[in-house]
Amino acid sequence: MRNLDHFVMPVADLASARARFVSLGFTVAPNANHPFGTQNCCVFFSDDTFIEPLAISDHENYQTALAAENSFVKGHRDFTAVSGLNGFSHLVVKSGNAKVDHIDYVNAGISGGGMVDFGRTFTKPDGTTGEVAFSLAFAKPQAQSDAAFFACEIVKAVPGGKGTLVNHANGAMRTKYAVLSAGEPTEHSRFFQQFMDTEPQSIANGVSFTTETGTTEIITLDVCAQEYGAAFESNLCIQALVLQVADLATTRELLAQNNIKFHNRQNRIIIPPALGQGGIIVFEE
């Protein structure tokens, strides 16, 4: 089983993304630069999953990476060319050995391109820094998809852990669900079974894949629109991220104080997309 790891969210700039996520009650990590021209400011959770707002920071390095067929940058370029800065571009799972996962994906006929290995500096809120490194193996559905997928191996972890970065004023603790939509959810079952190395489970109006760090649900377009207010998309699309919070009343009060637009629906709080936060964020207990 490959557990859920994180969700990449393309944004226009990290300053707007940071301001938006802070207003939603999240603690946001310091900016971090990738060697291929992108930059992030992550939102980490105590279950070791996270959201990765991502912006282009160095257009020259970005174009160089595209010319070199960098699979991560290509996924970002392809997503934003279709969807703009509106939603989650990548669903990422954890990898114990990215080289083995890459071989598995190639043998299964779902490889999404060459591996990407890189390191970067990680800065903690107290200003201390350390070096981290990652190895990525990419997968691609055979059916039409607006989203991209890869497995991420931590080659060198954050020294001393993430500390207070996992503490959030809105009470967010962990990822419950990644919500995807598709015209025919079950046609993606084989891909996700091979990508995540876990068995599909039938659910009302779709299919799900459960891991130790959250569940991935693929549901029909009309149900996704009805339950989450998502836009209709014919291709496979990452529509929403459902996070567990300690107390919905506390979360609701914080959002109201910060003048955040939200919807109350079926014991959940739904935050529609906005500048600096292009995907749907959902809070549940």
Side-chain angles (χ1 to χ4, degrees):
M1 178 185 293
R2 300 182 182 100
N3 293 323
L4 287 176
D5 188 71
H6 71 277
F7 311 89
V8 183
M9 178 185 286
V11 296
D13 66 273
L14 293 190
S16 296
R18 178 179 298 279
R20 174 65 174 173
F21 275 92
V22 168
S23 70
L24 293 176
F26 292 106
T27 299
V28 184
N31 293 1
N33 293 302
H34 296 142
F36 31 79
T38 55
Q39 185 183 53
N40 66 29
C41 62
C42 296
V43 177
F44 297 105
F45 305 113
S46 57
D47 67 343
D48 206 28
T49 62
F50 63 98
I51 302 171
E52 182 183 11
L54 186 84
I56 299 174
S57 57
D58 187 320
H59 287 272
E60 183 176 350
N61 283 347
Y62 186 88
Q63 292 300 324
T64 298
L66 280 177
E69 299 290 310
N70 180 295
S71 298
F72 179 80
V73 177
K74 284 178 61 182
H76 178 272
R77 187 272 315 273
D78 292 346
F79 176 84
T80 55
V82 173
S83 302
L85 303 171
N86 184 32
F88 300 95
S89 60
H90 293 74
L91 185 151
V92 187
V93 294
K94 299 180 186 298
S95 171
N97 188 320
K99 290 182 180 179
V100 170
D101 290 339
H102 174 69
I103 293 171
D104 286 347
Y105 294 159
V106 170
N107 290 339
I110 62 168
S111 174
M115 295 183 65
V116 174
D117 300 301
F118 71 98
R120 64 171 177 81
T121 299
F122 186 96
T123 304
K124 295 185 178 183
D126 63 4
T128 60
T129 62
E131 296 301 314
V132 293
F134 307 92
S135 185
L136 315 180
F138 294 81
K140 183 178 181 179
Q142 292 181 335
Q144 290 294 318
S145 174
D146 290 344
F149 304 86
F150 64 88
C152 178
E153 176 189 359
I154 300 176
V155 178
K156 189 174 183 181
V158 177
K162 299 180 178 69
T164 59
L165 289 174
V166 302
N167 299 331
H168 304 285
N170 58 24
M173 300 179 292
R174 70 179 185 94
T175 298
K176 289 185 69 174
Y177 300 97
V179 181
L180 286 70
S181 67
E184 296 291 340
T186 56
E187 75 174 342
H188 302 283
S189 293
R190 178 178 175 273
F191 168 77
F192 278 90
Q193 182 175 358
Q194 294 171 326
F195 171 59
M196 305 183 79
D197 191 25
T198 189
E199 294 295 321
Q201 298 174 323
S202 295
I203 59 174
N205 304 297
V207 62
S208 70
F209 300 83
T210 300
T211 75
E212 295 174 357
T213 54
T215 297
T216 297
E217 289 190 348
I218 310 171
I219 56 179
T220 57
L221 305 173
D222 56 340
V223 171
C224 197
Q226 180 180 353
E227 291 193 6
Y228 299 99
F232 277 74
E233 296 285 348
S234 58
N235 296 336
L236 181 66
C237 180
I238 307 168
Q239 295 276 19
L241 186 62
V242 182
L243 305 174
Q244 183 177 21
V245 297
D247 179 61
L248 271 180
T250 300
T251 306
R252 189 177 294 111
E253 182 179 356
L254 181 147
L255 296 172
Q257 289 175 349
N258 292 344
N259 296 315
I260 297 298
K261 179 182 178 181
F262 63 89
H263 306 292
N264 290 298
R265 188 177 301 167
Q266 298 178 345
N267 296 317
R268 60 170 61 126
I269 297 170
I270 300 175
I271 312 294
L275 179 65
Q277 174 248 311
I280 299 170
I281 302 292
V282 182
F283 296 116
E284 293 184 356
E285 289 185 358

